[in-house]
Amino acid sequence: DTSILPICKDSLGWMFNKLDMNYDLLLDPSEISAIYLDKYEPCVKPLFNSCDSFKDGKLSNNEWCYCFQKPGGLPCQNEMNRIQKLSRGKSLLGKY
């Protein structure tokens, strides 16, 4: 069935296959959590939510690949920019 083949190639398709630990051609939040790194943790949930166009709690390979090709930019990058904008006006009290 060619309708379930990814619409992207190379590193995005490879990453989808690497994260799909149960080989069901869907990514769920537990599989996405494999990319949790301290630096990117704040954007993993927004990334998943923005990519889940069917709002079914899972990402197909087409949803995954399309998400990184949206004209509005990369979801994680957009979320990190939003967080930085919110924190610009805030400063830590005291020095370490």
Side-chain angles (χ1 to χ4, degrees):
D1 182 5
T2 57
S3 68
I4 60 172
L5 293 175
I7 57 173
C8 61
K9 298 178 183 176
D10 302 328
S11 60
L12 280 177
W14 177 86
M15 181 56 87
F16 180 90
N17 290 330
K18 188 80 170 160
L19 292 171
D20 185 18
M21 293 184 251
N22 62 3
Y23 308 108
D24 65 351
L25 298 177
L26 297 168
L27 297 179
D28 61 42
S30 68
E31 290 170 315
I32 295 289
S33 69
I35 59 175
Y36 267 41
L37 300 171
D38 289 341
K39 182 178 176 183
Y40 300 109
E41 189 171 347
C43 70
V44 172
K45 188 173 181 176
L47 167 89
F48 188 87
N49 291 338
S50 71
C51 295
D52 186 12
S53 57
F54 294 120
K55 304 300 180 205
D56 59 358
K58 295 184 184 262
L59 298 181
S60 69
N61 49 12
N62 286 335
E63 285 174 307
W64 171 262
C65 295
Y66 175 72
C67 192
F68 291 93
Q69 298 174 24
K70 289 181 180 177
L74 298 174
C76 188
Q77 182 181 3
N78 292 340
E79 182 63 15
M80 294 301 280
N81 290 341
R82 187 187 73 78
I83 291 170
Q84 285 178 345
K85 284 179 187 176
L86 289 174
S87 64
R88 275 191 195 136
K90 299 176 184 176
S91 63
L92 295 175
L93 297 176
K95 293 184 179 182
Y96 290 83

